[in-house]
Amino acid sequence: MKLNKKSAIIISFALGTVMFTTTAIAQVVAKSGYDQLKDSVKYTAENCTTKLSNYTMDTSFSLKDNGTVIYSGNSLNKVDVASGAKEDVSTRIEGSTKSENYNYSDKKGSINKNSEQNIYYVSEYASPLENTATSNPFKEEGADDIEKIADALVGNLKDAVVVAENSDGTKTLSGSLSESQIPALINAVVSFQSKNEFGNRSNNPNGESSLPKITKDVFVKEVKGNMVTTKEGFIQSVLGSGMISGKDESGTEHKLTFELLAKITSVNSTKVSKPDLTGKKVEKNVQQNYSKITNPGKYIGKYKTDILIDKGGKFEKIGERFIDVTTVDTKSISGRFYEEYAVGYEEYATNKKDFKFNAKFEKDGLNASINAANSSNNVTQGNISINPGSAKIYFNTGENTNGNMIFDDQYSKIFN
């Protein structure tokens, strides 16, 4: 069985363990300790995304089932914040299967290779990306709410951590929580997530599976954490571990131990180099940047969609809606919207729309709000969106149906 990078349980739980541990540390220390920890995490995130020139992050993790290692991996990630270049070398071992992956990326493209294929896959971007640096999670939408939820989960844990200030000014925060100290709510969350991840795991094609299928009696037995920071509060290393217990369908108990070690080193002395592919087997492709409009002029023209009615158990076409885009650039789009009805369906055209619009794109450069009035001063509100990956435009006026009439918001370009 393979674990992809996104859903690998060892990563999700290990990171969850560290988050829980560090949040618990923040709560159980005095208020000043709580503030210091939060400041350190936020200070590190801010530096690693905007202020440092470069750095290296070395991460290793493992999963044991009743003392036997069944999954392990490590990753060496080099980041050049200034140039937006990244290089990652990772190794994963599950059971008897070992896999290695290499990834490089910058503003102009990416290079990928795995141990299963001796091929370097090179993607060149049609236009350079504006920003490839890692985003700061504390500046993402909803970050404040997630922080409050984490605080609520930990509750009122006290006196479970030791904070030591070392002679060189660095600080060590360490602590552990036993089974009896784990709040019921956290146990419930871990139980639910573990059953989903472990209980639904399918075997790989050769029939081997190193992970047990835990489906009942899941609870957290212990959590431990250790964090070292510089005197300024920059995190140097994090060591987290935890154990959950559960049973499979046959009633066999499994004690799963997770361990994660992460270090940030070579600050402002890391070198990220694009690999030399001379003599290597390479497959290239040009990847379009679908996150912005790169050639606005190609969207000028006429688009249409059908107007249908549901009549007598079948659909009938009674007319068409048109968008005539006359001007478009990276900041705005303007044109005309109108409807035409077929002969014999004039009764449906009583309130047919016909108006001009001029809308400014939002920050993403793809979406704009419409607030237009026709000759009778009837105001129409809605939004328009360009899909850079196709010759279609999304145009919504707030109605998908009107009586038995059916409208489609996707408009396809008309070609002569």
Side-chain angles (χ1 to χ4, degrees):
M1 186 194 75
K2 291 184 179 180
L3 296 180
N4 59 47
K5 188 173 182 180
K6 184 177 181 181
S7 63
I9 184 60
I10 176 59
I11 297 177
S12 62
F13 186 88
L15 291 177
T17 298
V18 174
M19 290 176 63
F20 167 73
T21 304
T22 54
T23 308
I25 289 173
Q27 285 282 20
V28 298
V29 190
K31 184 65 165 65
S32 59
Y34 173 67
D35 290 337
Q36 286 180 46
L37 178 66
K38 281 194 173 182
D39 288 345
S40 291
V41 175
K42 294 178 180 179
Y43 177 77
T44 303
E46 178 68 15
N47 276 269
C48 286
T49 54
T50 59
K51 296 184 178 181
L52 296 181
S53 295
N54 49 69
Y55 63 91
T56 298
M57 178 172 285
D58 190 352
T59 307
S60 61
F61 47 85
S62 68
L63 167 62
K64 298 178 181 178
D65 180 16
N66 294 334
T68 301
V69 178
I70 59 174
Y71 189 93
S72 65
N74 61 71
S75 175
L76 186 66
N77 186 235
K78 297 180 179 181
V79 180
D80 190 320
V81 180
S83 69
K86 305 175 188 177
E87 188 177 23
D88 179 70
V89 180
S90 61
T91 303
R92 182 181 63 199
I93 301 175
E94 184 180 354
S96 59
T97 303
K98 180 179 180 180
S99 61
E100 298 177 341
N101 292 277
Y102 174 84
N103 297 279
Y104 169 87
S105 66
D106 57 27
K107 295 181 179 181
K108 295 182 179 180
S110 64
I111 300 173
N112 302 283
K113 179 185 178 298
N114 60 59
S115 56
E116 297 178 359
Q117 296 177 305
N118 192 29
I119 302 173
Y120 286 85
Y121 293 95
V122 179
S123 294
E124 298 176 347
Y125 302 143
S127 59
L129 300 181
E130 294 180 359
N131 183 16
T132 57
T134 304
S135 61
N136 186 343
F138 292 98
K139 292 185 177 181
E140 296 290 335
E141 184 177 355
D144 292 341
D145 293 331
I146 294 175
E147 186 176 327
K148 292 176 182 178
I149 292 172
D151 293 342
L153 281 174
V154 173
N156 61 350
L157 297 174
K158 302 291 182 180
D159 304 323
V161 70
V162 175
V163 180
E165 186 169 344
N166 306 315
S167 58
D168 59 355
T170 61
K171 291 183 179 181
T172 302
L173 296 86
S174 59
S176 63
L177 299 173
S178 64
E179 179 182 336
S180 60
Q181 294 174 291
I182 307 297
L185 182 56
I186 290 179
N187 259 321
V189 172
V190 172
S191 176
F192 175 77
Q193 186 65 21
S194 298
K195 288 176 181 178
N196 283 340
E197 293 290 346
F198 286 102
N200 296 326
R201 288 293 175 185
S202 59
N203 292 339
N204 61 11
N206 60 21
E208 296 179 357
S209 178
S210 59
L211 297 181
K213 291 190 175 182
I214 296 178
T215 58
K216 53 187 175 182
D217 298 336
V218 182
F219 61 91
V220 182
K221 292 188 68 69
E222 65 177 20
V223 177
K224 297 179 180 179
N226 181 292
M227 176 186 289
V228 178
T229 71
T230 65
K231 59 183 179 181
E232 294 83 11
F234 187 83
I235 298 174
Q236 293 180 310
S237 66
V238 175
L239 173 63
S241 65
M243 178 186 293
I244 66 174
S245 177
K247 295 179 180 180
D248 58 27
E249 288 295 340
S250 66
T252 302
E253 183 179 14
H254 295 268
K255 293 181 179 179
L256 300 174
T257 304
F258 303 83
E259 295 179 348
L260 170 70
L261 173 62
K263 296 180 179 180
I264 301 177
T265 61
S266 303
V267 175
N268 294 333
S269 62
T270 293
K271 293 183 178 180
V272 181
S273 302
K274 190 174 183 178
D276 183 3
L277 302 182
T278 304
K280 307 294 184 181
K281 187 173 182 179
V282 175
E283 289 190 9
K284 289 186 177 181
N285 72 83
V286 177
Q287 183 174 329
Q288 299 293 325
N289 182 3
Y290 294 134
S291 62
K292 64 177 182 178
I293 302 175
T294 56
N295 185 5
K298 67 183 178 182
Y299 296 100
I300 293 176
K302 188 176 289 188
Y303 301 75
K304 74 171 183 177
T305 187
D306 294 333
I307 303 174
L308 307 176
I309 59 172
D310 187 350
K311 184 177 181 181
K314 64 177 182 178
F315 294 112
E316 289 184 14
K317 178 179 175 180
I318 65 171
E320 294 174 329
R321 282 182 158 188
F322 295 90
I323 302 172
D324 190 1
V325 178
T326 54
T327 61
V328 58
D329 54 32
T330 57
K331 296 182 179 180
S332 64
I333 183 171
S334 60
R336 176 192 173 202
F337 173 92
Y338 62 98
E339 299 173 336
E340 291 183 353
Y341 288 84
V343 176
Y345 297 97
E346 289 81 0
E347 71 270 22
Y348 293 96
T350 304
N351 296 313
K352 71 176 183 179
K353 293 182 172 61
D354 188 338
F355 59 85
K356 293 183 179 180
F357 62 89
N358 187 355
K360 292 183 178 180
F361 287 120
E362 299 172 2
K363 290 183 179 180
D364 61 6
L366 299 174
N367 301 282
S369 296
I370 300 167
N371 194 338
N374 60 15
S375 57
S376 301
N377 290 323
N378 294 321
V379 177
T380 297
Q381 295 181 329
N383 55 75
I384 185 171
S385 176
I386 287 180
N387 182 354
S390 72
K392 294 183 178 181
I393 285 181
Y394 173 87
F395 195 97
N396 179 270
T397 57
E399 55 178 351
N400 295 107
T401 60
N402 183 4
N404 64 339
M405 288 194 295
I406 302 171
F407 309 109
D408 190 346
D409 295 332
Q410 290 284 355
Y411 291 71
S412 299
K413 191 167 188 178
I414 300 173
F415 296 92
N416 296 328

